[in-house]
Amino acid sequence: MGTALSGRRANWAGNIVYRASELAKPTDLAGLQAVVRDHPQVRAVGTGHSFNRIADTPGVLISLAGLPAEISIDAERAAATVPGGITYQELAPRLTAAGWALPTLASLPHLTVAGACATATHGSGDGHGNLATQVSAMQLVGPDGELRTLARHRDGDRFRGAVAGLGALGIVATLTLDLVPAFEVQQYVYQGLPAAMLRSHFDEIFGSGYSVSVFTGWQGTQHDQVWVKQRAGGGGSWRPEPRWMDATLADRPLHPIPGQPARFATEQLGVPGPWHARLPHFRAEFTPSAGAELQSEYLLPRQRAAAAFDALASLATVLAPVLQICEIRTVAPDDLWLSPSYQRDTVALHFTWIKDTAAVTPVVAAIDHLLAPLGARPHWAKLFATAPHAVRALYPRSADFQQLLRDLDPAGKFRNSFVARYFPGQD
């Protein structure tokens, strides 16, 4: 989910062509309300950075990109109210200019805030929850076109069920986000981390920075890269060394995918920069336009990391022809009903595949089979093969979410085939 559709109304990767009868681009809130009110089936779509049919509908797709990009900052509450259709690359520099920041960001800054939060998209960091955990209030356009506000301090359980709501509870007009004072980040990359070292020093490696990612192809006895992002001037005992964890400090900028141009990646080599120019892996000025990839992601209990690594290493020959890179990240627990890190410290395994659905599909099924016994929750917006009943079983509040669907959208205006598959029976 993000801001604009291509001319053929496809997602960013081009593996999904939307079935909508119409694409609406309202230019004000009243226009948005009218579109929702006047059509029996609607669905919001953003940058199209979903790899399955979560954003699809046979009715009207609504892009929020044309709504005014107004941002209201409440310094006393350290909060910003922003339009749902704004992207992080638009929002972040404006927050920085006002002296504020978000605690964490995803690896791509091109996503819309509403889309990223609806699918519990995340960055990396032992102390950071996913992007939806930053939301303290949300304003929804309900099925009757009227505005409905849910707030963390007032609506409790209903709020926690709605924030990562898969776009199924209404069109998100605005979100209020928690802020922190603006800060700078320095980024270092290490190469050739021994696989055995990651297993034996997992907590130390992922606890070494404000945000840490390990990139690997699951081939051989080494992982390709470790990206360590440190708050500039933040103190702490960690300092970059030429050799660390038997890995070598890179002396030149690198791209996470071996062989790709480093100019697309955010600045490295310890050069300090604003939080929004270092926490993502990719520069905001580089818009991924080719879409020559597919993606999957699985989020597991952190204590099952070693077992997951063993499972993936056993698939090395199967992964090699289709995997561009796998990223290992950590995410803090939260209390949002449909968050893949709900009530557990999480390790996230993100797969960037080649753009070949026929070749990738059986590999995703094989990963599903091996990681399911470890409690793997698939990312809602990416490719996965987990059976619907198994997905529901992974979320203790899934029945409550089904009831919330019935309460907030009794006629199923925002429902689509994806939502009905994993949460049936809300009619």
Side-chain angles (χ1 to χ4, degrees), residues 266-281:
T266 48
E267 192 160 2
Q268 300 154 42
L269 304 178
V271 178
W275 61 283
H276 65 268
R278 296 293 183 277
L279 291 180
H281 300 324

Side-chain angles (χ1 to χ4, degrees), residues 78-405:
T81 299
V82 309
I86 197 170
T87 63
Y88 285 96
Q89 73 181 104
E90 297 172 291
L91 172 62
R94 294 171 65 178
L95 293 179
T96 301
W100 296 100
L102 300 172
T104 186
L105 289 170
S107 58
L108 278 175
H110 310 86
L111 312 175
T112 60
V113 177
C117 292
T119 55
T121 295
H122 60 91
S124 187
D126 287 357
H128 309 307
N130 63 55
L131 299 178
T133 64
Q134 300 167 7
V135 178
S136 64
M138 58 193 304
Q139 187 180 57
L140 297 166
V141 179
D144 56 1
E146 297 302 309
L147 293 176
R148 171 185 290 134
T149 299
L150 295 172
R152 181 195 291 153
H153 71 279
R154 185 187 65 229
D155 296 296
D157 243 13
R158 178 163 286 206
F159 171 82
R160 289 187 285 274
V163 176
L166 313 184
L169 301 171
I171 305 299
V172 178
T174 66
L175 293 159
T176 301
L177 307 176
D178 298 330
L179 302 178
V180 297
F183 58 97
E184 290 197 328
V185 174
Q186 296 168 276
Q187 182 166 226
Y188 304 91
V189 176
Y190 281 82
Q191 296 178 277
L193 174 71
M197 189 66 74
L198 180 63
R199 290 176 59 98
S200 61
H201 291 74
F202 184 92
D203 288 342
E204 186 177 350
I205 289 169
F206 279 94
S208 64
Y210 185 82
S211 172
V212 177
S213 294
V214 173
F215 292 92
T216 181
W218 298 108
Q219 305 298 313
T221 60
Q222 290 187 333
H223 300 303
D224 298 333
Q225 300 174 19
V226 185
W227 288 43
V228 181
K229 302 171 192 273
Q230 296 282 359
R231 285 190 64 148
S237 59
W238 192 88
R239 296 289 184 274
E241 299 289 344
R243 292 282 294 176
W244 174 69
M245 296 289 169
D246 287 340
T248 303
L249 184 65
D251 59 3
R252 67 189 189 285
L254 296 171
H255 190 285
I257 300 175
Q260 294 296 310
R263 68 180 182 275
F264 297 148
T266 48
E267 192 160 2
Q268 300 154 42
L269 304 178
V271 178
W275 61 283
H276 65 268
R278 296 293 183 277
L279 291 180
H281 300 324
F282 304 101
R283 295 177 185 264
E285 60 268 29
F286 164 59
T287 302
S289 56
E293 64 188 60
L294 302 172
Q295 294 180 11
S296 300
E297 186 170 32
Y298 297 87
L299 296 96
L300 303 91
R302 182 171 172 138
Q303 65 268 27
R304 308 307 297 271
F309 297 165
D310 288 342
L312 293 172
S314 74
L315 289 177
T317 56
V318 176
L319 293 170
V322 294
L323 180 65
Q324 296 194 57
I325 202 68
C326 175
E327 180 181 4
I328 307 168
R329 293 179 282 182
T330 58
V331 190
D334 59 69
D335 59 0
L336 306 179
W337 292 359
L338 295 190
S339 164
S341 28
Y342 177 75
Q343 293 189 341
R344 68 189 193 189
D345 279 301
T346 295
V347 58
L349 305 170
H350 183 280
F351 301 86
T352 299
W353 309 110
I354 63 171
K355 189 181 173 182
D356 185 334
T357 301
V360 167
T361 297
V363 179
V364 171
I367 291 175
D368 263 59
H369 177 72
L370 288 180
L371 297 187
L374 305 179
R377 293 169 175 162
H379 190 297
W380 290 109
K382 301 185 188 296
L383 299 178
F384 59 94
T386 316
H389 72 275
V391 171
R392 287 192 296 278
L394 291 166
Y395 292 92
R397 303 299 297 268
S398 60
D400 295 321
F401 183 73
Q402 287 173 287
Q403 183 59 52
L404 190 59
L405 287 168

